[in-house]
Amino acid sequence: MTSWRDPSEKTLALLLLAPAFFLIALIVIYPVGKLIYTSLFDMQLSGGARALDFVGLRNFEEALKDKEFWHAARNTLLITVVTVPGALVVGLGLALLANLPFRYKWVVRLSLLLPWALPLSFCGLIFAWFFHTDYGIVNDVLRMLGAPEPTMWLLNPTWAMTAICLTIIWKTSSFMALILLAGLQMIPRSLYEAAQVDGATRWQQFWQVTLPLLVPSIVVALIFRTLTALQTFDIPYTMTKGGPGSSTETLAMLIHKTTIDYLDLGYGSALAVFMFLMSMLVTAVYLRQIGKQA
């Protein structure tokens, strides 16, 4: 017989896990449950009054028929598909550069922190100025290179999405680089020495030693980067406000517009549930891939 002063291993494990469980329930389970609950109602605020009517799955049915929802989801997926691999490639290059054994490598490592430390909205404002049609730095450089006329970066749907993706890649590649740099430093130097003895070139060392051992760090970086890409809001909002028209509006921006501007909490919650499900699906795919490698 056990007591609270001398608990069994099972009881002790439950006691130690209880604080973490309650914390997760407070910051994750309750908000998600509240979100799903709200999505089942027609909840609109007008004039300080709140109309609350239970509608079941009607908000989800309307979302699936809403062209604006599919357009925002397409933009979100496009940003994810473009910026996640782009940030991975750039981040890997920066990590390899920061891992080189030269004297002043701390300067490179310090420079990796600067884009990561900038607030997303501030970064969007900076690059909105860079890509400005009349006085932006990008068009000034293009003029010096002989461009016949300035590019309307933020006024053309295609160029606006391109500018947003380039900005996101610049902002997030440093985060990827920091994670990959930590992974690179965990690889034993003895493996490279053995590869050199076997006559492997630098390129062969990268493909046969570095890349395989860096896969766990790459997967972790991809999980975090993909989840934040699916929730992209700050940079497109500060650069274009979703314009021109709604050509760069993401799902997070549509949720913000529906709940904050239109005060339609029920439908906005349903849209948020779809974004949550997208995030969970991506996470499940990554975790399954990790399980196969374990």
Side-chain angles (χ1 to χ4, degrees):
M1 183 176 180
T2 61
S3 64
W4 289 106
R5 293 185 178 181
D6 187 21
S8 64
E9 291 185 1
K10 182 177 180 181
T11 304
L12 180 61
L14 292 175
L15 290 175
L16 293 176
L17 291 175
F21 173 78
F22 285 117
L23 181 61
I24 293 175
L26 181 63
I27 66 176
V28 177
I29 298 177
Y30 173 75
V32 172
K34 183 66 174 179
L35 177 70
I36 296 174
Y37 174 80
T38 306
S39 68
L40 301 177
F41 289 84
D42 182 9
M43 188 181 298
Q44 299 186 12
L45 302 178
S46 59
R50 183 176 69 173
L52 181 63
D53 297 315
F54 180 78
V55 294
L57 300 178
R58 193 179 71 185
N59 286 325
F60 296 96
E61 295 175 358
E62 292 180 359
L64 294 176
K65 299 176 183 178
D66 189 357
K67 293 181 179 180
E68 193 173 10
F69 163 72
W70 288 109
H71 180 70
R74 183 185 67 83
N75 287 338
T76 302
L77 292 176
L78 177 61
I79 290 175
T80 302
V81 169
V82 173
T83 62
V84 172
L88 176 62
V89 172
V90 175
L92 179 58
L94 293 174
L96 292 171
L97 178 63
N99 196 49
L100 290 177
F102 57 93
R103 183 175 181 182
Y104 296 103
K105 61 184 177 182
W106 64 268
V107 178
V108 179
R109 296 183 179 184
L110 180 62
S111 64
L112 294 179
L113 295 174
L114 297 180
W116 175 75
L118 281 177
L120 287 168
S121 56
F122 186 57
C123 181
L125 292 173
I126 292 175
F127 275 83
W129 174 62
F130 284 171
F131 287 104
H132 194 277
T133 303
D134 297 325
Y135 51 80
I137 294 178
V138 176
N139 275 341
D140 285 345
V141 173
L142 292 177
R143 289 189 189 98
M144 289 187 290
L145 294 176
E149 57 184 22
T151 302
M152 303 178 68
W153 287 98
L154 303 181
L155 301 177
N156 179 281
T158 302
W159 287 121
M161 184 62 73
T162 302
I164 288 172
C165 289
L166 290 175
T167 304
I168 294 175
I169 290 174
W170 179 86
K171 175 68 174 72
T172 59
S173 59
S174 60
F175 171 77
M176 305 282 275
L178 292 172
I179 296 179
L180 298 179
L181 178 60
L184 287 172
Q185 293 180 338
M186 295 295 293
I187 301 176
R189 297 299 306 174
S190 58
L191 296 179
Y192 294 104
E193 295 172 357
Q196 289 177 352
V197 171
D198 292 338
T201 63
R202 287 294 183 91
W203 186 251
Q204 290 173 331
Q205 291 177 34
F206 173 76
W207 280 104
Q208 301 298 328
V209 179
T210 304
L211 201 57
L213 295 178
L214 201 59
V215 168
S217 298
I218 291 176
V219 173
V220 171
L222 286 175
I223 290 176
F224 285 105
R225 179 75 276 276
T226 305
L227 292 179
T228 54
L230 292 173
Q231 302 165 12
T232 299
F233 174 82
D234 303 72
I235 289 178
Y237 185 81
T238 52
M239 289 185 69
T240 64
K241 297 292 191 298
S246 60
S247 59
T248 58
E249 185 178 60
T250 64
L251 189 54
M253 295 172 66
L254 178 61
I255 294 171
H256 176 270
K257 181 175 69 175
T258 303
T259 54
I260 304 301
D261 296 341
Y262 299 159
L263 300 178
D264 192 347
L265 303 184
Y267 186 63
S269 297
L271 297 177
V273 170
F274 276 117
M275 187 170 68
F276 171 75
L277 293 177
M278 290 171 58
S279 302
M280 291 296 293
L281 178 62
V282 170
T283 304
V285 172
Y286 280 127
L287 292 179
R288 184 178 180 182
Q289 186 65 26
I290 293 175
K292 289 181 179 179
Q293 296 175 0

